[in-house]
């Protein structure tokens, strides 16, 4: 059996990450692996408490720099209490959003200084970095339509304008271009089954080579 792998799912609003995370985790568990399915912001009691603060309220409730610090406070707690212990015992961790969301939302789209985000990655993530990242890509209008149709969603980020979401999409694609060994771009416009197969092929393509 391979050692535990850390897989993250990233992308703009309504890209289908949460839906596909369930399918991916089911397939991995069917193969006999221990899999921890988690999310950010959140994933630990402290992280979930910060999630309540950061996702609710008006679009301008927090500045991009303050959001960055809140995301990283939540992330550190999540890493210490959930992600690192799971990886150390050999489990796989599949996480709905992680550090690339901060780069894209607070950095590329929000304007927070990339040097601040890079410094936080160094000191807060340390060596807890994703082995592979799936970047779900689809046109902004399609994603927002899907996200608005979804029940019970927090709307603070979705209520930011079209230009924000275009910068966000480009921000994620730039990460994929910069780190092609880690990142696979998934065309999220297909049917649920088509996207599931693309995810599965990407996971085994990356992990068998790099795992
Ligand atoms: N955030 C941040 O700013 N910085 C950070 O560092 C981190 C996060 C970690 C978390 O919100 C917010 O936090 C997020 C970024 C910010 N912004 N917002 N909002 P969340 O956890 O509440 O939600 P999300 O991660 O943004 O989820 P999402 O993007 O809205 O959705 P999704 O997970 O990508 O998609 P989904 O829920 O699976 O699907 C959405 C709908 O589309 C649903 O009704 C599905 O049935 C449907 N769907 C899914 N796939 C398909 C296909 N293939 N065809 C048709 N319909 C589909």
């Amino acid at each position: 059996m391979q050692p535990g792998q850390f897989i993250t799912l990233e992308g703009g609003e309504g890209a289908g990450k949460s839906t596909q995370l369930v399918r991916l985790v089911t397939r991995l568990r069917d193969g006999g692996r221990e899999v921890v399915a988690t999310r950010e912001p959140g994933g630990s009691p402290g992280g979930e408490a910060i999630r309540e603060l950061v996702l609710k309220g008006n679009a301008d409730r927090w500045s991009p720099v303050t959001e960055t610090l809140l995301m990283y406070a939540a992330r550190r707690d999540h890493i210490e209490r959930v992600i690192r212990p799971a990886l150390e015992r050999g489990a796989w961790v599949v996480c709905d959003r992680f550090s690339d969301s901060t780069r894209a939302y607070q950095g590329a789209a929000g304007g927070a200084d990339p040097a601040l985000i890079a410094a936080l990655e160094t000191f807060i993530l340390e060596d807890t970095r994703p082995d592979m990242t799936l970047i779900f890509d689809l046109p902004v209008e399609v994603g927002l339509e899907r996200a608005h149709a979804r029940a019970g969603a927090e709307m603070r980020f979705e209520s930011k304008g079209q230009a924000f979401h275009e910068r966000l999409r480009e921000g994620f694609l730039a990460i994929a271009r910069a780190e092609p060994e880690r990142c696979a771009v998934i065309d999220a416009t297909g049917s649920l089954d088509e996207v599931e197969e693309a995810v599965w092929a990407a996971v085994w393509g990356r992990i068998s080579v790099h795992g």
Side-chain angles (χ1 to χ4, degrees):
M1 179 79 67
Q2 289 174 311
Q5 300 285 321
F6 181 22
I7 300 175
T8 57
L9 280 62
E10 298 276 11
E13 314 294 308
K17 302 175 311 303
S18 313
T19 309
Q20 293 297 334
L21 182 141
V22 172
R23 291 177 175 226
L24 174 60
V25 166
T26 301
R27 287 177 84 151
L28 290 171
R29 284 183 181 149
D30 285 349
R33 297 169 191 84
E34 182 194 350
V35 183
V36 174
T38 187
R39 69 170 181 183
E40 288 208 347
S44 61
E48 291 292 329
I50 295 172
R51 179 185 175 91
E52 285 290 303
L53 275 177
V54 80
L55 295 193
K56 292 197 170 155
N58 297 331
D60 61 356
R61 180 180 185 193
W62 305 108
S63 76
V65 170
T66 315
E67 275 170 8
T68 300
L69 298 172
L70 287 167
M71 293 297 176
Y72 264 91
R75 184 160 299 136
R76 181 67 190 203
D77 192 65
H78 188 205
I79 288 172
E80 287 178 2
R81 291 166 196 269
V82 175
I83 298 176
R84 254 182 220 156
L87 292 171
E88 281 168 6
R89 67 175 183 267
W92 289 45
V93 175
V94 183
C95 191
D96 191 345
R97 298 195 181 281
F98 191 66
S99 51
D100 295 316
S101 280
T102 312
R103 290 191 198 174
Y105 276 83
Q106 282 66 50
D113 189 336
L116 168 67
I117 297 172
L120 287 165
E121 288 185 8
T122 301
F123 289 103
I124 305 301
L125 302 186
E126 299 176 296
D127 60 355
T128 305
R129 312 275 177 145
D131 294 297
M132 86 160 297
T133 297
L134 301 159
I135 295 188
F136 288 72
D137 180 60
L138 84 176
V140 167
E141 316 75 67
V142 181
L144 288 176
E145 207 170 289
R146 283 189 195 170
H148 287 139
R150 195 190 49 170
E154 295 301 344
M155 298 305 290
R156 200 177 147 249
F157 285 91
E158 281 147 28
S159 64
K160 292 181 188 261
Q162 173 91 9
F164 177 92
H165 290 284
E166 295 290 356
R167 292 197 297 279
L168 184 61
R169 183 184 188 193
E170 178 46 34
F172 279 119
L173 292 174
I175 293 169
R177 284 195 298 273
E179 297 184 58
E181 290 85 10
R182 172 172 70 89
C183 300
V185 177
I186 303 293
D187 176 359
T189 59
S191 69
L192 289 175
D193 289 347
E194 285 167 347
V195 178
E196 179 182 342
E197 288 313 314
V199 164
W200 194 241
V203 166
W204 290 111
R206 290 291 188 295
I207 298 234
S208 56
V209 174
H210 300 284

